[in-house]
Amino acid sequence: MNYCSHCGSEVEHKIPPGDNRLRYVCPHCELIHYQNPRIIAGCIAEHENQVLLCTRAIEPRHGLWTLPAGFMENNETTQQAACRETYEEASAKLTDIQLFCTYSIPHISQVYMMYRGQLVDGFSAPGEESLATQLFTEEQIPWDKMAFPVVTESLKLYFSDKNAGKFHIHGGEMSRDEEQQLTVLNYPVIS
Amino acid sequence: MNYCSHCGSEVEHKIPPGDNRLRYVCPHCELIHYQNPRIIAGCIAEHENQVLLCTRAIEPRHGLWTLPAGFMENNETTQQAACRETYEEASAKLTDIQLFCTYSIPHISQVYMMYRGQLVDGFSAPGEESLATQLFTEEQIPWDKMAFPVVTESLKLYFSDKNAGKFHIHGGEMSRDEEQQLTVLNYPVIS
């Protein structure tokens, strides 16, 4: 950020009075430009012992498999965001959706909220951001071709719960160290 | 938003190619300025059959009671945000925190993530944004002096679960119609 989006003046990067963090502050109109994490909402869509995956038609991770998910927009609920993304990326409609897991990814300031829902009529077709959509059983999941660790982790939790016969709501966080090594921390499940 | 925060040019308000929503777009550097909902993280801090509330020292709702909560910052997890806000507003430390409820409030593009945790040593003291902190049993809660509907609703769910002897993770949404009448929708609980 270089300029104030309100008045166009050059912003300063400083800690405002009464605050303890560096912010972009406009010296002219005095507006403080807060920056906050973004929510990514998505869904594990179930149909007859299978789940729906899409191959990405866009970067990053073009051609790899993912769960339908994307940035939540203003003026919608997290459930609406998960359903909208599933429709946009996989032309798929959902019923009976409920929260399945949340992951914080602080080094990129993202919070994932992944839902679980029933795929209506088992129907899907690639949207603009997908090359293909396909239903997979656990044995068929292309684990070595997944786009993002959060997708792999969400699916591992999902099949673990499914095989145990009871779904929980999971929480966790992911971080990368200086060598870009990923650490996944799954919080204890509340039973 | 009037100016591009990157190059300082006047932005246009239009639907970018391949998109379906109005965005602020810079005609000079072509940056699209996405705007997304913000997360508010907070906590119901428990101590010996009581919960911790604060009176707000700031607007809006100056002088009314609230749960410690505030905007999640970049580069933290939702749990860290809930703990940080509880410490900033009530000088209170938490252990054993776990997600309790999430509420989407689409008309103001906010998502609440409220945790439940144990208040260390039962200690609290007002931070800069609070006039007072106090522990309350259910019977003592000042229901008619609460700052925000989401605080009232979270506490109602909390005491309902507590009295039933089992805590669940809840989800819901709140909206206001044109007459500013509030509607609260609590999603079915997954048992």
Side-chain angles (χ1 to χ4, degrees):
Chain A
M1 170 168 282
N2 303 309
Y3 298 93
C4 174
S5 56
H6 182 67
C7 78
S9 302
E10 279 190 46
V11 291
E12 297 172 355
H13 202 215
K14 66 177 190 181
I15 300 176
D19 202 339
N20 53 19
R21 286 172 191 251
L22 282 168
R23 314 278 184 190
Y24 292 102
V25 182
C26 179
H28 181 69
C29 73
E30 298 183 349
L31 209 64
I32 303 171
H33 296 277
Y34 295 98
Q35 297 181 312
N36 302 91
R38 292 201 289 179
I39 293 174
I40 295 172
C43 196
I44 299 173
E46 307 171 302
H47 181 70
E48 292 175 357
N49 205 37
Q50 303 163 98
V51 298
L52 175 66
L53 298 180
C54 318
T55 38
R56 288 172 63 80
I58 53 173
E59 293 296 346
R61 320 294 164 87
H62 183 281
L64 296 182
W65 291 94
T66 189
L67 290 164
F71 288 112
M72 184 178 174
E73 300 277 5
N74 277 352
N75 304 123
E76 65 182 0
T77 67
T78 50
Q79 284 197 4
Q80 286 167 346
C83 291
R84 178 183 51 72
E85 288 289 342
T86 304
Y87 189 75
E88 286 179 3
E89 298 188 356
S91 317
K93 294 185 181 173
L94 299 165
T95 58
D96 303 322
I97 85 162
Q98 46 204 39
L99 187 62
F100 179 63
C101 65
T102 72
Y103 275 104
S104 294
I105 312 183
H107 64 284
I108 49 173
S109 298
Q110 293 182 350
V111 175
Y112 271 79
M113 296 188 72
M114 298 298 278
Y115 286 80
R116 190 165 62 82
Q118 300 303 309
L119 178 60
V120 173
D121 297 332
F123 177 80
S124 71
E128 281 191 11
E129 297 184 0
S130 305
L131 296 171
T133 61
Q134 192 175 321
L135 289 164
F136 293 91
T137 63
E138 181 177 6
E139 294 69 29
Q140 295 167 336
I141 299 275
W143 294 107
D144 58 338
K145 292 175 184 162
M146 303 305 277
F148 304 107
V150 69
V151 172
T152 304
E153 292 301 318
S154 300
L155 285 171
K156 279 162 62 180
L157 291 172
Y158 169 82
F159 286 113
S160 172
D161 276 10
K162 182 168 187 280
N163 294 333
K166 180 167 169 56
F167 286 102
H168 300 276
I169 299 176
H170 300 265
E173 57 191 67
M174 298 185 182
S175 55
R176 286 194 189 275
D177 63 19
E178 289 173 8
E179 281 80 41
Q180 293 299 307
Q181 196 69 34
L182 184 77
T183 301
V184 179
L185 174 63
N186 287 312
Y187 303 147
V189 166
I190 321 307
S191 58
Chain B
M1 170 169 280
N2 303 308
Y3 298 93
C4 175
S5 56
H6 182 67
C7 78
S9 302
E10 278 190 46
V11 291
E12 296 173 355
H13 201 214
K14 65 177 190 181
I15 299 175
D19 202 340
N20 53 19
R21 284 173 192 252
L22 281 168
R23 314 279 184 190
Y24 291 101
V25 182
C26 178
H28 181 68
C29 73
E30 298 184 350
L31 209 63
I32 302 171
H33 297 277
Y34 295 98
Q35 296 180 313
N36 301 91
R38 292 201 290 178
I39 293 174
I40 294 173
C43 195
I44 299 173
E46 306 170 303
H47 181 69
E48 293 176 355
N49 205 36
Q50 303 162 99
V51 299
L52 175 65
L53 298 179
C54 316
T55 38
R56 288 173 62 82
I58 53 173
E59 293 296 345
R61 319 292 165 90
H62 183 281
L64 297 182
W65 291 94
T66 188
L67 290 164
F71 289 111
M72 184 178 175
E73 300 276 5
N74 279 351
N75 304 124
E76 65 182 0
T77 67
T78 50
Q79 285 198 2
Q80 287 166 347
C83 291
R84 178 183 52 71
E85 288 289 342
T86 304
Y87 188 74
E88 286 179 3
E89 298 188 355
S91 316
K93 294 184 180 173
L94 298 165
T95 59
D96 304 323
I97 84 162
Q98 46 204 39
L99 187 62
F100 178 62
C101 65
T102 72
Y103 275 105
S104 294
I105 314 184
H107 64 283
I108 50 174
S109 297
Q110 292 182 350
V111 174
Y112 271 79
M113 297 187 71
M114 298 299 278
Y115 287 80
R116 191 165 61 83
Q118 299 304 309
L119 178 60
V120 173
D121 297 331
F123 177 79
S124 70
E128 281 191 12
E129 297 184 0
S130 303
L131 296 172
T133 62
Q134 192 175 323
L135 289 164
F136 293 90
T137 63
E138 181 177 5
E139 293 69 30
Q140 295 166 336
I141 299 274
W143 294 108
D144 57 340
K145 292 174 184 163
M146 304 304 279
F148 303 109
V150 69
V151 171
T152 304
E153 293 301 319
S154 299
L155 285 170
K156 279 161 62 180
L157 291 171
Y158 170 81
F159 285 114
S160 173
D161 276 10
K162 184 168 186 281
N163 294 332
K166 181 167 170 54
F167 286 102
H168 301 275
I169 299 175
H170 300 265
E173 58 191 68
M174 296 184 184
S175 55
R176 285 194 189 274
D177 63 18
E178 288 173 10
E179 280 81 40
Q180 294 300 304
Q181 196 68 35
L182 185 77
T183 301
V184 179
L185 174 62
N186 287 312
Y187 303 147
V189 166
I190 321 307
S191 56

